[in-house]
Amino acid sequence: MRCMTPASTGPVSTGPVPIGPDLLACISRRAQTMTASAIREILKITQQPDVISFAGGLPAPELFPLDAVRQAAETALSKYGPAALQYSTTEGHLPLREWIAGRHGIPAANVQIVTGSQQGLDLLGKILIDEGDLVLVEAPTYLGALQSFQPYLPRYAEMPTDEGGIDVDALATLLAGLAAQGEKPKLLYAIPNFQNPTGRTLSLERRRRLVELTAQYGVLVIEDDPYGQLRFSGEALPSLYEIGLELAGDVDRNHVIYSSSFSKTLVPGLRDAWVEAAAPVITKLIQAKQGADLHTPTLNQMMITELLPLLPAQIETVKAAYRERGAHMLSQMDEFFPAGVTYTRPQGGMFLWVTLPEGVDTVALLPRAVENKVAYVPGQPFFALGGGANTMRMSYSSATPEQITQGMRALGATFREALG
Amino acid sequence: MRCMTPASTGPVSTGPVPIGPDLLACISRRAQTMTASAIREILKITQQPDVISFAGGLPAPELFPLDAVRQAAETALSKYGPAALQYSTTEGHLPLREWIAGRHGIPAANVQIVTGSQQGLDLLGKILIDEGDLVLVEAPTYLGALQSFQPYLPRYAEMPTDEGGIDVDALATLLAGLAAQGEKPKLLYAIPNFQNPTGRTLSLERRRRLVELTAQYGVLVIEDDPYGQLRFSGEALPSLYEIGLELAGDVDRNHVIYSSSFSKTLVPGLRDAWVEAAAPVITKLIQAKQGADLHTPTLNQMMITELLPLLPAQIETVKAAYRERGAHMLSQMDEFFPAGVTYTRPQGGMFLWVTLPEGVDTVALLPRAVENKVAYVPGQPFFALGGGANTMRMSYSSATPEQITQGMRALGATFREALG
């Protein structure tokens, strides 16, 4: 397994050394499987002037509490002095961990601060996934999770989903079938609230059944919950983590691991998120985090802590905006989309999911949409095992009413053309 | 390879589910090999009141440009508004990358911003190291690099070192011997300037020879250079990266990868560092970074950019302090240490290295030192393959003259006791 070819076997030459043939051959096997995010590539073609894009997944920047963040930086630097800029503990800023732990009534020792929940997923992949381990994911699922897990070379199995998210009866059948083949999944990855990309939410009954089934079959669960606090309609539901806690009766025996973030409720650019897990998992997570970046930036954690009193009001602001934008997008879809095009009606979060009739290819359709000055993300990259060619994700979080109206009109026209 | 035992094969029970036996059994093989930093554990016993500790590796916090950082936060938030708090590109803030690239006269496209150079090492391990790949390291080397690489399950070979750092003649022999066995190292990891832990610096002649030898044998080089700008005596030397660039004649064919950081020159708590590398490496680094944490915090990168005009003066301040502290520590060692104890005389950086007579065990000696109210880090954890029981690392970066005098007196007394 040679990577660079030796420059020469004789004496060292004095001119430029013919290194090669190819540094690429030095890249590890796991990294050979990495690709740039498909979305990232797609976003490039959508970033033309005058194109209204619903392709991104950005929180609304005009709602960021800019002055409060400025004040939080000031306060953290005054309160902690140089300690706000010094190396700090791998586990994270204790007052922040205590606040997070308080939400679920667990010890702060079970909370690890991470540099964005993307890092939480990467570290969980690192400490849990051996090459070839079977990972259960929703179809479709969060693309970023697939990117985080991929370097650890898992195999994927897709859980069937319907309008209510994961179909737990089908999951029971899947698990029984796998068990009959002697296959045991290592973990199940799920986003129960306002899923990215579909906007779907798992019912309480399904949550209970999912937690029981995974306990029964001995499958770890990673619950990714960045949007849970952004529910703008319907009743709040307990997390898989809380159900798991009740079932296990012991925080250190809960087989559900919880991941969440301040990116969607406060601001994403400070990169502050966390993982809650049983001691055997948290212990390894700390060790992995230490090797991965020592700790999350000190000042940022202190700033987020200073912003916590503002959080409830900020969440209300964000929810009100996303409720209005989501409702407006749906009303415009109702008005402009042709028959045969269906879409989800999220109860929170930032995304909804559009399904076109079978046979329509949303990747092929995108250049046409861009000509019509509107953009979306094709759904296909969100499927671990392919498929979903006739689907797309739309984000309403950072669009104005005018952009939504104009965009849905243009998209409706594009669909009509495609459907003949 | 079962991890959790299924709770039951019959109907789901209603009470607490007997999950287990052990979540630990779910931990991946690579994570089973992770351990908490030995230093971290050692630091705990040194953190007693009244103990003067030279064990840590913290930059001097009283030198942090606190007001300038406060102003930089203010300026970045005013200049960029919500964009300072939004998601941003994986590669990093362009003005910062351009400034970094300018130092070596390379394109910004060859610079990746990372969340502390620890992350750079982790990502380089991820994209370069396959299980079993041979990695050449100094003996001793930076413990954190071993922690970063470990999850990717390399084998290590140690390069012999002497007072001048890596012994390049011995390296030539080592490479020839490995080649004769059909073994080709994947990469060589080195800290040429004021090495952590020894404080040693590689001469220009050795640098040239190291770069040529690795090119000749087709071995990638990771040059870790967090301290290079903190030279307080002697002449500045070209980096391995610069020598590699000259040799290759093309930034995208340079087999040396460069890693550095703002942690030791400005502040560590913002976690801003970078990697410079040829396109085939940078391309994979970007993809790995995207899966690992999407991007380094936006505001922090903008703050560091605002602080760049201050950097030359700040470096002078830090160098002056470390020059004085280092010189004082050496003078006190000269005065208080018994014959038979030797130590390095660094030309920069934060560390020096003490070698006791063979047979003395610095791990066993540490509790005695702590009784004498002084602490150090035993040298053994810095060796990839063990050894170094009679060595220790001392940091002079954040100690007062009084602490240094008192500490060296106490350590000298401890040594005398040990040496009988």
Side-chain angles (χ1 to χ4, degrees):
Chain A
M1 221 179 21
R2 299 222 149 233
C3 77
M4 296 184 340
T5 300
S8 142
T9 50
V12 172
S13 63
T14 49
V17 176
I19 292 163
D22 196 354
L23 288 169
L24 259 183
C26 300
I27 299 300
S28 65
R29 198 163 55 89
R30 82 179 66 77
Q32 304 279 8
T33 74
M34 293 176 190
T35 50
S37 159
I39 285 189
R40 195 178 140 109
E41 298 309 305
I42 287 163
L43 287 179
K44 284 182 190 161
I45 78 156
T46 68
Q47 280 162 356
Q48 298 179 17
D50 304 336
V51 171
I52 302 172
S53 178
F54 305 96
L58 299 181
E62 74 280 9
L63 304 180
F64 291 169
L66 198 59
D67 286 333
V69 170
R70 192 191 314 259
Q71 188 55 51
E74 184 72 30
T75 305
L77 287 167
S78 300
K79 192 190 280 190
Y80 295 101
L85 302 173
Q86 186 57 288
Y87 286 113
S88 58
T89 63
T90 301
E91 292 89 335
H93 188 50
L94 188 58
L96 184 58
R97 291 166 64 221
E98 284 173 341
W99 182 90
I100 291 164
R103 295 173 71 234
H104 284 150
I106 62 171
N110 293 88
V111 176
Q112 170 66 52
I113 303 294
V114 290
T115 312
S117 60
Q118 190 75 27
Q119 187 188 42
L121 297 176
D122 173 53
L123 296 178
L124 288 169
K126 197 174 201 170
I127 68 166
L128 295 173
I129 299 174
D130 280 308
E131 180 169 355
D133 275 354
L134 195 62
V135 174
L136 301 177
V137 293
E138 294 167 86
T141 189
Y142 171 53
L143 178 59
L146 299 177
Q147 271 189 289
S148 286
F149 298 156
Q150 184 53 41
Y152 309 112
L153 305 174
R155 290 173 301 137
Y156 291 108
E158 287 184 338
M159 298 179 279
T161 58
D162 60 19
E163 289 312 302
I166 298 164
D167 178 340
V168 288
D169 290 327
L171 175 62
T173 307
L174 175 64
L175 286 167
L178 289 169
Q181 298 164 41
E183 272 267 34
K184 187 185 148 191
K186 171 63 84 67
L187 62 87
L188 182 158
Y189 170 77
I191 308 158
N193 290 315
F194 331 124
Q195 196 229 21
N196 181 358
T198 64
R200 289 172 188 149
T201 296
L202 208 59
S203 70
L204 178 56
E205 197 191 328
R206 288 187 173 198
R207 288 172 194 234
R208 289 228 164 92
R209 185 112 171 83
L210 185 150
V211 172
E212 288 165 355
L213 273 170
T214 48
Q216 187 184 338
Y217 283 94
V219 178
L220 291 171
V221 176
I222 297 177
E223 176 180 30
D224 192 4
D225 190 28
Y227 316 106
Q229 290 178 87
L230 301 182
R231 175 181 281 279
F232 49 67
S233 74
E235 291 274 305
L237 298 174
S239 61
L240 303 178
Y241 182 83
E242 289 166 304
I243 296 168
L245 200 55
E246 202 187 320
L247 197 69
D250 179 347
V251 64
D252 289 327
R253 290 174 69 81
N254 190 353
H255 74 293
V256 183
I257 298 163
Y258 184 82
S259 163
S260 191
S261 171
F262 294 102
S263 291
K264 308 304 190 296
T265 53
L266 285 171
V267 294
L270 293 178
R271 314 300 297 122
D272 273 276
W274 73 91
V275 173
E276 301 170 44
V281 174
I282 280 286
T283 303
K284 282 293 159 188
L285 200 66
I286 297 167
Q287 293 169 8
K289 167 87 178 161
Q290 196 172 26
D293 69 355
L294 294 181
H295 63 82
T296 292
T298 316
L299 177 64
N300 302 35
Q301 298 182 63
M302 291 169 174
M303 286 169 67
I304 292 285
T305 308
E306 294 299 323
L307 289 167
L308 292 174
L310 174 81
L311 187 58
Q314 180 64 19
I315 287 172
E316 289 310 313
T317 302
V318 173
K319 280 187 343 190
Y322 291 1
R323 177 190 296 117
E324 194 179 315
R325 291 169 196 186
H328 184 57
M329 183 174 275
L330 286 168
S331 79
Q332 300 305 290
M333 286 180 166
D334 292 346
E335 181 162 344
F336 294 116
F337 282 11
V341 179
T342 60
Y343 31 92
T344 57
R345 295 187 171 268
Q347 297 189 309
M350 297 165 46
F351 302 107
L352 53 78
W353 186 246
V354 178
T355 304
L356 283 94
E358 289 286 340
V360 178
D361 180 339
T362 57
V363 172
L365 195 61
L366 185 58
R368 197 56 192 265
V370 170
E371 275 173 41
N372 288 339
K373 305 296 177 198
V374 64
Y376 54 82
V377 179
Q380 192 273 328
F382 295 93
F383 290 84
L385 304 179
N390 58 327
T391 59
M392 61 178 63
R393 187 191 74 176
M394 303 280 290
S395 168
Y396 47 79
S397 51
S398 52
T400 65
E402 297 68 33
Q403 288 173 327
I404 290 173
T405 301
Q406 204 179 323
M408 293 310 107
R409 185 184 290 121
L411 205 50
T414 308
F415 292 166
R416 272 174 225 284
E417 292 172 41
L419 298 174
Chain B
M1 222 177 21
R2 300 224 147 233
C3 78
M4 298 185 336
T5 302
S8 141
T9 50
V12 173
S13 63
T14 49
V17 175
I19 293 163
D22 196 354
L23 289 170
L24 260 184
C26 300
I27 300 300
S28 66
R29 197 163 56 88
R30 82 180 66 77
Q32 304 278 7
T33 74
M34 293 177 192
T35 50
S37 157
I39 286 189
R40 197 178 138 110
E41 298 309 305
I42 287 163
L43 287 180
K44 285 183 190 161
I45 77 157
T46 67
Q47 279 161 357
Q48 298 179 18
D50 304 336
V51 171
I52 302 172
S53 178
F54 305 96
L58 299 181
E62 75 279 9
L63 304 181
F64 291 168
L66 198 58
D67 286 334
V69 170
R70 192 190 315 259
Q71 188 55 52
E74 184 72 30
T75 305
L77 287 166
S78 300
K79 191 190 280 189
Y80 295 100
L85 303 171
Q86 185 60 287
Y87 287 113
S88 57
T89 62
T90 300
E91 292 88 337
H93 188 50
L94 188 58
L96 185 57
R97 291 167 64 222
E98 284 172 341
W99 182 89
I100 291 165
R103 294 172 72 234
H104 284 150
I106 61 171
N110 292 87
V111 176
Q112 170 65 53
I113 303 293
V114 290
T115 313
S117 59
Q118 190 75 27
Q119 187 187 42
L121 297 176
D122 173 53
L123 296 179
L124 287 170
K126 200 173 201 170
I127 67 165
L128 295 174
I129 300 174
D130 280 307
E131 181 169 354
D133 275 353
L134 195 62
V135 174
L136 301 178
V137 293
E138 293 167 87
T141 188
Y142 171 53
L143 178 58
L146 299 177
Q147 271 190 290
S148 286
F149 297 156
Q150 184 52 41
Y152 309 111
L153 304 174
R155 291 173 300 135
Y156 291 108
E158 286 184 338
M159 297 179 278
T161 58
D162 59 21
E163 288 312 300
I166 299 165
D167 178 341
V168 287
D169 289 326
L171 176 62
T173 307
L174 176 65
L175 286 168
L178 289 169
Q181 298 163 43
E183 273 267 32
K184 187 185 149 191
K186 171 64 83 68
L187 62 88
L188 182 158
Y189 170 77
I191 308 158
N193 290 316
F194 331 124
Q195 196 229 22
N196 180 358
T198 63
R200 289 172 188 149
T201 295
L202 207 59
S203 70
L204 177 56
E205 196 191 329
R206 288 187 173 198
R207 287 172 196 234
R208 289 228 165 93
R209 184 111 170 82
L210 186 150
V211 172
E212 288 166 353
L213 274 171
T214 48
Q216 187 183 340
Y217 283 94
V219 178
L220 290 172
V221 176
I222 297 178
E223 176 179 31
D224 193 4
D225 189 29
Y227 315 106
Q229 290 178 87
L230 300 182
R231 174 181 283 277
F232 48 67
S233 74
E235 290 275 306
L237 299 174
S239 61
L240 303 180
Y241 183 83
E242 289 165 305
I243 296 168
L245 200 54
E246 203 187 318
L247 197 67
D250 179 347
V251 64
D252 289 326
R253 291 174 69 82
N254 190 352
H255 74 293
V256 183
I257 299 163
Y258 185 82
S259 163
S260 190
S261 170
F262 295 102
S263 291
K264 307 305 189 294
T265 52
L266 285 171
V267 295
L270 293 178
R271 314 300 297 121
D272 273 276
W274 73 91
V275 173
E276 299 168 47
V281 174
I282 281 286
T283 303
K284 282 293 159 188
L285 200 66
I286 297 167
Q287 293 171 6
K289 167 87 177 162
Q290 195 172 28
D293 69 355
L294 294 181
H295 64 83
T296 292
T298 316
L299 177 63
N300 302 35
Q301 297 182 63
M302 292 169 174
M303 286 168 66
I304 291 285
T305 308
E306 294 300 324
L307 289 167
L308 291 174
L310 175 80
L311 188 59
Q314 180 64 19
I315 287 173
E316 289 308 313
T317 302
V318 172
K319 280 186 345 189
Y322 292 1
R323 177 189 295 117
E324 193 179 316
R325 291 169 197 186
H328 185 58
M329 183 175 274
L330 285 168
S331 80
Q332 299 306 291
M333 287 180 165
D334 292 346
E335 179 160 349
F336 294 116
F337 282 11
V341 179
T342 60
Y343 32 92
T344 56
R345 295 189 171 267
Q347 297 189 308
M350 295 166 47
F351 302 108
L352 54 79
W353 186 249
V354 178
T355 304
L356 282 93
E358 289 287 340
V360 178
D361 180 339
T362 57
V363 172
L365 195 62
L366 185 59
R368 195 56 190 267
V370 170
E371 276 173 41
N372 288 341
K373 305 297 178 198
V374 64
Y376 55 81
V377 180
Q380 191 273 326
F382 295 93
F383 290 84
L385 304 179
N390 59 325
T391 60
M392 60 178 64
R393 188 192 72 177
M394 304 280 289
S395 168
Y396 47 79
S397 51
S398 52
T400 64
E402 296 70 32
Q403 287 172 329
I404 289 173
T405 301
Q406 206 179 321
M408 293 311 106
R409 186 185 290 122
L411 205 51
T414 307
F415 291 166
R416 273 173 223 286
E417 292 172 40
L419 298 174

